Amino acid sequence: MFQSKAVARQYFLSARNARWHADGLLGSAQQVLPDDVRRVALYFSRASEPQTGALIDWLLATDHEVLLPILYADNHLGWGVAPGAADLVPGRLGLSEPPTDLGPEAIATAELVICPALAVARDGVRLGRGGGSYDRALARVSPGTPIWAAVYDAEVVDSLPFDAHDHPVDAALTPNQLIPLRRSADD
């Protein structure tokens, strides 16, 4: 379908930018969040990404702990506990971040990871923005911890180009539903 990651990124970014508004993930997440999950690694959305602000607020209001990324100069991610969406501080590249950094290994303490993506394939291939930040972070997630990619329904596709370092995901969380993804046998 797509000749390269660059072509796929351009296609999905253009489609997102053409949207009139970005939908939130709160409703679908409330329906599918496992009862035993207390610590969720998430991200603070921006622009046309599926919106996470209301989800973060709901998680905090229901006694969940939320880890949010902190983008380092080398594009690695540290993690900090979210004090609340209104208490975040400005970070690199216009991102909103928690004020305290627990380091890159903190993601291993999450019981669920919801990461950003531009698209995801039905076999679990995740297309990010190209910096590699999340692929490196996802490699630190504890084995067995579910990893969901936040996308819109139209961004779940049959296939995407991938590289050996790309970290697969288990499901796609959209504003409407959770879509389980097939993982290859060697994952």
Side-chain angles (χ1 to χ4, degrees):
M1 179 174 189
F2 297 101
Q3 298 171 343
S4 69
K5 284 182 170 184
V7 169
R9 279 187 193 100
Q10 182 178 1
Y11 172 82
F12 288 109
L13 280 170
S14 293
R16 272 193 182 174
N17 291 335
R19 293 180 62 90
W20 284 101
H21 69 281
D23 296 323
L25 297 171
L26 176 59
S28 60
Q30 287 176 317
Q31 300 293 319
V32 298
L33 187 74
D35 291 334
D36 60 339
V37 167
R38 301 305 329 145
R39 186 176 243 200
V40 179
L42 195 48
Y43 67 99
F44 194 78
S45 58
R46 30 182 230 164
S48 60
E49 292 177 329
Q51 296 300 291
T52 60
L55 175 56
I56 292 167
D57 289 341
W58 175 77
L59 287 167
L60 294 172
T62 55
D63 295 324
H64 292 83
E65 193 171 53
V66 177
L67 294 176
L68 294 176
I70 297 169
L71 183 62
Y72 298 153
D74 64 0
N75 284 339
H76 282 267
L77 295 176
W79 297 87
V81 176
D87 299 317
L88 298 174
V89 298
R92 289 187 65 241
L93 305 178
L95 299 175
S96 295
E97 301 176 341
T100 304
D101 184 359
L102 302 175
E105 300 302 325
I107 194 171
T109 65
E111 297 163 314
L112 170 65
V113 176
I114 302 173
C115 62
L118 292 175
V120 66
R122 297 193 185 282
D123 62 359
V125 172
R126 176 189 156 276
L127 180 70
R129 291 188 176 260
S133 299
Y134 270 90
D135 287 316
R136 289 188 294 276
L138 295 177
R140 294 183 172 102
V141 172
S142 295
T145 301
I147 302 170
W148 300 350
V151 294
Y152 295 105
D153 289 283
E155 296 168 344
V156 179
V157 297
D158 290 334
S159 66
L160 287 167
F162 66 94
D163 294 318
H165 66 267
D166 292 340
H167 199 285
V169 297
D170 302 300
L173 180 63
T174 77
N176 299 307
Q177 62 187 320
L178 181 70
I179 303 169
L181 303 172
R182 298 182 310 269
R183 300 273 299 266
S184 65
D186 59 350
D187 288 335

